[in-house]
């Protein structure tokens, strides 16, 4: 199936003749095959999840009070249980499937039904249940997981505190072991240590996995997780010593009962410690299979990385939904008589409209392919197939690099799609505003995006230090100032740039930009140079007094985070490029190559100042970036509907009136009306025509 509706921009460029020839021989996309590629490794699971998400029983009903929305979403959790949609990640011995990648693939598709449902189910089974699964032992699994799986015990994931969000290591809640009774005493010592923003905490939760500083024999062994009953299962009243407050109405996700929890010397059995990575004997002796507290802490948190992985995928899915609706509308909506006295222009034919939507479409494809690689890495680690320390570190870094970019991208995409649909886009029936409001918090939870990118930056610095450990300061400085230029000469970029400068012809320079090796090198150089410069600036900081070392790092924090972001963009570009190798159909491969080029060149254009200031591009060649992007927009225009069709979302997923074909029917009616007027000779004469 292909869509070849109206073609060229109304403002042809100097290269119009070439582009017209290209479009006359425009390739066709094999939409079905491309759709299968986008579904990825767990295609069958995604199809099952989408079939479920298309059912009205799971859809968000706009206009409900937050109380009504909460009740509806809790009922939807039961619907998921009844339809066996939650068991994939749990052990086969308990009725699960041990399918970790498939679990995430299916879970993230729920965002199309209602983001509140996706997140609340994530709280119940992806955080609360997963904490018991991954931090507990077989005894814990047998004791608690069956009731968690069938929703007998709804639960909260009590990690975040109002005083410490992303800095989990510094939380204030304590769990002090009392050897006289064989119990831990859980306590919230001050207001800033209240557990905050917890799903299921305000109303539905009966138990919680609580993260606290484990103290035994006067020694603080750092943050550990504890299974803690918080409400009476029958009365739903808080148990003695447990305090709960409702967060109330939020900016989005109001189907989730977020709330606060505090503990006033609440006693729990010693065996309620989820002790896979750290245990306390009856006499108070602490033991752990992981020697260092730092490594133990990151190992425990690393087992819960699936939250970031799923948010990355859900954000990509939401972007696909928004773009599908906006591009379908733009292919039907007409406005202004630019090239005809009788027919108005289709919005999608305007170059500016293409500029608004097509780069976002290209980025969404890149993020979709990158997410599939993240999901494969996640499954390899959690299935045990690829579960070394290095694999886990790579998974952590990849998730921390991709989740910020995709969640920010989702907000940008939904906002641009809203604006691109004009006043119609603002109507709640078209979901842009509602989806954006619900996804707003995605950039904050499971790790604030800037904090996650700082983690990536530290990994990049560590890798840099390992690679160049034997170099002295002088060698590092030389690398920081000149390595990219040296690499360019070796790999041909210098020759390409010189050729463009010598030729003086934009078309030939554009040919260089089409080369994937050139794109890769430009994107990689930026990462390498930024990391190298930061490493040089921070050289020797670890030997300074703590205050001075912190100040030195803080002075370069922003550039480090920018380097991490550039690293994530490079990963996405490479994932897109690798995906091209899997495409066999020539037409599909050609169009997807143009789309990959648009993604790469849009990144280069966004950072053009850096490339010019650092001598990576000449002024003349820099000017060709935008010109070639415009040519790519025209080439992609006939394929826009096919590209969103391949996402595979039906109107039951979109539920946007503007994407239902209603605009095409309105335009057809209007066109028929005016055509009949002209044919009858009864059309009124325009005043301006009287003066001719």
């Amino acid at each position: 199936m292909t869509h070849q509706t109206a073609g060229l921009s109304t403002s042809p460029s100097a290269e119009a003749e070439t582009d017209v020839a290209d479009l006359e021989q425009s390739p066709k996309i094999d939409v079905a095959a491309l759709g299968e590629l986008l579904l990825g490794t767990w295609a069958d699971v995604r199809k099952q999840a989408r079939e479920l998400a298309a059912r009205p029983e799971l859809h968000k009903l706009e206009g409900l009070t937050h109380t009504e929305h909460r009740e509806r979403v809790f009922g939807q959790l039961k619907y998921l249980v009844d339809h066996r949609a939650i068991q994939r990640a749990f052990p086969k011995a308990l009725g699960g499937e041990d399918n970790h990648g498939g679990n995430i693939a299916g879970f993230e598709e729920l965002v199309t039904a209602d983001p509140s449902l996706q997140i609340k189910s994530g709280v119940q089974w992806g955080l609360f249940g997963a904490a018991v699964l991954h931090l507990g032992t077989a005894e814990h699994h047998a004791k608690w997981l069956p009731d968690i799986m069938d929703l007998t015990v709804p639960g909260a994931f009590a990690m975040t505190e109002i005083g410490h969000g992303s800095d989990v290591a510094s939380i204030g809640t304590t769990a002090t072991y009392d050897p006289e009774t064989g119990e831990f005493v859980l306590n919230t010592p001050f207001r800033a240590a209240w557990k905050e923003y917890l799903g299921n905490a305000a109303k539905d939760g009966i138990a919680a996995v609580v993260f606290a500083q484990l103290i035994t024999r006067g020694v603080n062994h750092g943050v550990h997780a504890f299974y803690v009953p918080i409400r009476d299962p029958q009365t739903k009243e808080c148990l003695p010593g447990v305090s709960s407050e409702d967060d109330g109405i939020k900016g989005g996700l109001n189907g989730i009962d977020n709330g606060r929890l505090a503990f006033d010397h609440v006693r729990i059995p010693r065996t309620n410690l989820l002790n896979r990575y750290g245990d306390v004997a009856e006499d108070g002796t602490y033991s752990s299979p992981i020697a260092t507290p730092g490594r133990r802490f990151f190992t425990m948190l690393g087992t819960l990385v699936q939250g970031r992985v799923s948010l990355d995928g859900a954000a990509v899915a939401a972007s696909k939904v928004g773009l599908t609706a906006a591009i379908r509308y733009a292919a039907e909506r007409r406005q202004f008589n630019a090239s005809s006295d009788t027919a108005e222009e289709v919005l999608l034919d305007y170059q500016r409209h293409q500029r608004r939507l097509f780069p976002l479409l290209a980025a969404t494809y890149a993020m979709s392919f990158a997410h599939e690689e993240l999901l494969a890495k996640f499954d390899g680690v959690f299935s045990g197939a690829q579960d070394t320390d290095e694999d886990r570190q790579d998974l952590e870094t990849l998730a921390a690099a991709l989740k910020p970019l995709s969640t920010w991208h989702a907000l940008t995409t939904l906002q641009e799609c809203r604006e691109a649909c004009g006043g119609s886009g603002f109507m709640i029936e078209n979901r842009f505003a509602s989806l954006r409001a619900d996804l707003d918090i995605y950039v904050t939870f499971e790790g604030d995006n800037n904090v996650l990118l700082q983690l990536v930056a530290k990994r990049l610095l560590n890798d840099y230090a390992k690679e160049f450990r034997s170099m002295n300061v002088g060698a590092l400085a030389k690398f920081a100032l000149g390595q990219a230029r040296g690499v360019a000469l070796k790999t041909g970029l210098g020759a390409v740039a010189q050729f463009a400068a010598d030729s003086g012809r934009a078309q030939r320079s554009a040919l260089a930009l089409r080369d994937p090796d050139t794109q890769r090198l430009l994107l990689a150089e930026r990462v390498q140079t930024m990391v190298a410069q930061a490493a040089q600036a921070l050289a020797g900081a670890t030997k300074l007094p703590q205050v001075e070392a912190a100040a030195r790092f803080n002075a370069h924090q922003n550039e480090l985070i920018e380097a991490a972001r550039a690293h994530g963009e490079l990963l996405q570009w490479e994932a897109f490029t690798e995906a091209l190798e899997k495409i066999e159909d020539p037409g599909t491969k050609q169009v997807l190559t143009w789309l990959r080029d648009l993604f790469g060149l849009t990144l280069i254009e966004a950072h053009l100042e850096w490339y010019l200031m650092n001598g990576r591009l000449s002024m003349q060649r820099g000017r060709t970036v935008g010109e070639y992007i415009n040519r790519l927009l025209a080439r992609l225009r006939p394929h826009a509907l096919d590209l969103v069709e391949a996402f595979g979302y039906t109107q039951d997923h979109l539920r946007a009136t503007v994407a239902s074909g209603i605009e095409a029917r309105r335009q057809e009616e209007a066109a028929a009306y005016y055509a009949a007027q002209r044919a009858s000779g009864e059309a009124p004469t325009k005043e301006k025509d009287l003066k001719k």
Side-chain angles (χ1 to χ4, degrees):
M1 178 179 179
T2 58
H3 301 275
Q4 298 288 336
T5 56
L8 292 173
S9 166
T10 57
S11 301
S13 66
E15 296 86 9
E17 293 183 7
T18 301
D19 286 338
V20 169
D22 287 340
L23 289 169
E24 287 174 350
Q25 303 175 23
S26 187
K28 302 278 195 301
I29 294 177
D30 185 336
V31 175
L34 179 56
E36 286 296 318
L37 177 65
L38 288 168
L39 286 170
T41 303
W42 292 273
D44 290 342
V45 173
R46 286 194 185 278
K47 290 174 183 176
Q48 293 169 11
R50 290 184 182 186
E51 190 277 327
L52 200 63
R55 298 182 187 180
E57 294 91 336
L58 296 184
H59 293 170
K60 180 180 181 181
L61 297 182
E62 302 291 354
L64 297 178
T65 66
H66 78 288
T67 302
E68 293 168 336
H69 196 184
R70 288 176 176 183
E71 290 295 332
R72 178 173 174 82
V73 172
F74 188 75
Q76 290 169 337
L77 292 189
K78 296 178 181 177
Y79 189 93
L80 294 180
V81 172
D82 292 341
H83 289 79
R84 289 191 56 77
I86 60 86
Q87 77 288 347
R88 295 186 185 98
F90 292 105
K92 291 182 178 179
L94 298 176
E97 297 176 3
D98 284 321
N99 184 357
H100 301 280
N103 175 60
I104 299 298
F107 162 73
E108 61 201 22
E109 294 292 343
L110 291 176
V111 74
T112 65
D114 183 349
S116 286
L117 172 60
Q118 185 223 347
I119 297 304
K120 191 172 176 77
S121 64
V123 169
Q124 175 66 19
W125 296 294
L127 292 176
F128 174 57
V132 174
L133 175 62
H134 296 300
L135 300 179
T137 59
E139 181 180 351
H140 296 133
H141 299 169
K143 183 177 182 181
W144 292 318
L145 283 182
D147 286 346
I148 292 173
M149 292 169 66
D150 69 9
L151 205 61
T152 299
V153 176
F157 183 78
M159 177 183 284
T160 298
E161 296 181 357
I162 191 63
H164 287 95
S166 297
D167 184 10
V168 178
S170 299
I171 59 175
T173 303
T174 58
T176 305
Y177 183 65
D178 180 358
E180 295 296 323
T181 62
E183 296 172 316
F184 282 101
V185 182
L186 211 67
N187 193 50
T188 305
F190 43 78
R191 182 69 193 189
W194 274 62
K195 299 295 182 180
E196 175 62 293
Y197 312 124
L198 315 177
N200 285 341
K203 173 180 171 288
D204 294 327
I206 291 175
V209 169
V210 179
F211 289 79
Q213 305 285 352
L214 189 158
I215 300 171
T216 182
R217 292 187 170 182
V219 177
N220 185 341
H221 292 278
V223 176
H224 289 64
F226 302 81
Y227 184 93
V228 184
I230 59 173
R231 285 189 176 90
D232 183 285
Q234 277 70 48
T235 67
K236 299 298 177 70
E237 296 295 325
C238 284
L239 295 174
V242 178
S243 297
S244 172
E245 294 179 358
D246 195 326
D247 281 332
I249 299 175
K250 309 180 293 292
L253 296 181
N254 280 301
I256 306 172
D257 58 324
N258 292 94
R260 313 175 187 101
L261 291 176
F263 307 93
D264 183 5
H265 297 87
V266 173
R267 289 179 172 268
I268 57 174
R270 177 181 64 88
T271 53
N272 279 31
L273 167 64
L274 299 177
N275 60 344
R276 180 177 177 183
Y277 297 107
D279 197 13
V280 173
E282 289 186 33
D283 65 356
T285 303
Y286 180 83
S287 61
S288 172
I290 304 175
T292 62
R295 185 181 170 200
R296 185 187 314 130
F297 171 75
F298 284 108
T299 299
M300 285 192 286
L301 263 61
T303 63
L304 305 171
V305 71
Q306 65 187 49
R308 294 169 187 171
V309 176
S310 63
L311 288 178
D312 178 58
V316 173
S319 296
K320 291 176 179 178
V321 166
L323 284 164
T324 301
I327 287 176
R328 284 184 182 176
Y329 178 74
E332 298 174 357
R333 181 75 161 91
R334 292 180 178 273
Q335 193 79 57
F336 302 114
N337 302 79
S339 61
S340 170
D341 290 332
T342 58
E344 293 179 298
E345 303 298 322
V346 175
L347 289 184
L348 206 55
D349 285 344
Y350 287 107
Q351 185 189 74
R352 179 58 183 169
H353 216 76
Q354 296 167 7
R355 268 275 187 171
R356 296 172 73 178
L357 297 179
F358 289 2
L360 296 174
L361 179 62
T364 300
Y365 264 80
M367 292 178 185
S368 183
F369 292 131
H371 176 68
E372 185 64 19
E373 293 193 3
L374 173 60
L375 207 53
K377 189 70 177 175
F378 170 82
D379 188 71
V381 168
F382 279 76
S383 68
Q386 298 166 320
D387 189 17
T388 66
D389 284 344
E390 185 177 359
D391 286 319
R392 286 185 172 267
Q393 290 177 27
D394 287 346
L395 172 60
E396 282 282 332
T397 304
L398 190 57
L402 297 182
K403 180 261 184 182
L405 272 60
S406 61
T407 53
W408 276 326
H409 171 76
L411 297 188
T412 299
T413 298
L414 291 168
Q415 180 64 24
E416 195 63 56
C417 288
R418 201 292 295 160
E419 294 181 31
C421 292
S424 295
F426 195 58
M427 303 304 292
I428 208 70
E429 68 179 11
N430 291 314
R431 295 188 70 204
F432 299 116
S434 176
L435 265 178
R436 193 192 183 286
D438 283 336
L439 264 73
D440 199 339
I441 193 60
Y442 283 38
V443 305
T444 300
F445 62 32
E446 297 301 325
D448 175 89
N449 282 356
N450 285 285
V451 174
L452 292 181
L453 288 178
Q454 183 167 294
L455 293 176
V456 176
K458 289 182 177 179
R459 171 70 186 273
L460 293 175
L461 284 175
N462 287 338
D463 288 351
Y464 177 90
K466 290 176 183 177
E467 186 173 354
F468 298 100
R469 184 174 291 146
S470 60
M471 285 188 174
N472 58 31
V473 174
L476 287 175
K478 182 178 180 181
F479 180 88
L481 295 174
Q483 62 84 220
R485 186 171 292 116
V487 171
L489 291 174
K490 292 178 183 178
T491 57
L493 181 62
V496 170
Q498 190 62 48
F499 167 77
D502 290 345
S503 70
R505 293 187 59 185
Q507 293 95 326
R508 291 185 180 178
S509 189
L511 288 175
L513 294 172
R514 287 167 54 181
D515 178 31
D517 289 338
T518 300
Q519 293 176 34
R520 177 184 283 109
L521 189 58
L522 285 170
L523 296 173
E525 273 190 321
R526 185 163 179 265
V527 179
Q528 293 167 351
T529 303
M530 293 171 79
V531 172
Q533 290 172 341
Q536 174 62 24
L538 294 172
T542 56
K543 299 177 182 179
L544 296 174
Q546 184 177 1
V547 172
E548 294 180 32
R552 174 90 65 91
F553 184 87
N554 190 53
H556 298 280
Q557 183 185 41
N558 186 66
E559 59 209 68
L560 280 169
I561 289 175
E562 285 301 308
R565 185 166 187 161
H567 175 66
E569 292 167 347
L570 174 61
L571 293 175
Q572 291 169 341
W573 183 93
E574 289 182 335
F576 201 151
T577 301
E578 290 173 11
L580 290 175
E581 299 303 314
K582 302 175 184 177
I583 300 174
E584 297 180 358
D585 177 67
T588 305
K589 191 165 190 173
Q590 177 62 79
V591 175
L592 267 290
T593 299
W594 289 338
L595 197 65
R596 189 278 316 275
D597 291 348
L598 178 60
F599 175 63
L601 295 182
T602 300
L603 291 176
I604 292 167
E605 184 183 51
H607 306 302
L608 194 55
E609 179 182 359
W610 186 92
Y611 289 107
L612 294 173
M613 289 178 62
N614 286 272
R616 300 309 191 265
L617 289 173
S618 67
M619 288 292 291
Q620 181 170 350
R621 187 161 179 244
R623 282 192 292 269
T624 70
V625 176
E627 295 171 4
Y628 189 55
I629 285 176
N630 291 339
R631 295 177 66 189
L632 287 171
L633 298 176
R635 290 177 177 175
L636 289 166
R637 166 62 183 95
H639 309 286
L641 287 172
D642 281 345
L643 288 168
V644 295
E645 184 81 12
F647 289 153
Y649 291 113
T650 68
Q651 185 61 15
D652 289 327
H653 300 108
L654 303 179
R655 302 192 302 286
T657 303
V658 292
S660 66
I662 190 173
E663 185 60 32
R665 294 190 290 273
R666 284 196 289 250
Q667 295 295 333
E668 289 166 3
E669 180 187 17
Y673 171 81
Y674 288 118
Q677 262 198 347
R678 291 191 297 271
S680 69
E682 298 177 358
T685 303
K686 295 179 180 179
E687 180 183 353
K688 66 178 182 178
D689 293 337
L690 296 175
K691 301 176 182 179
K692 291 182 180 179

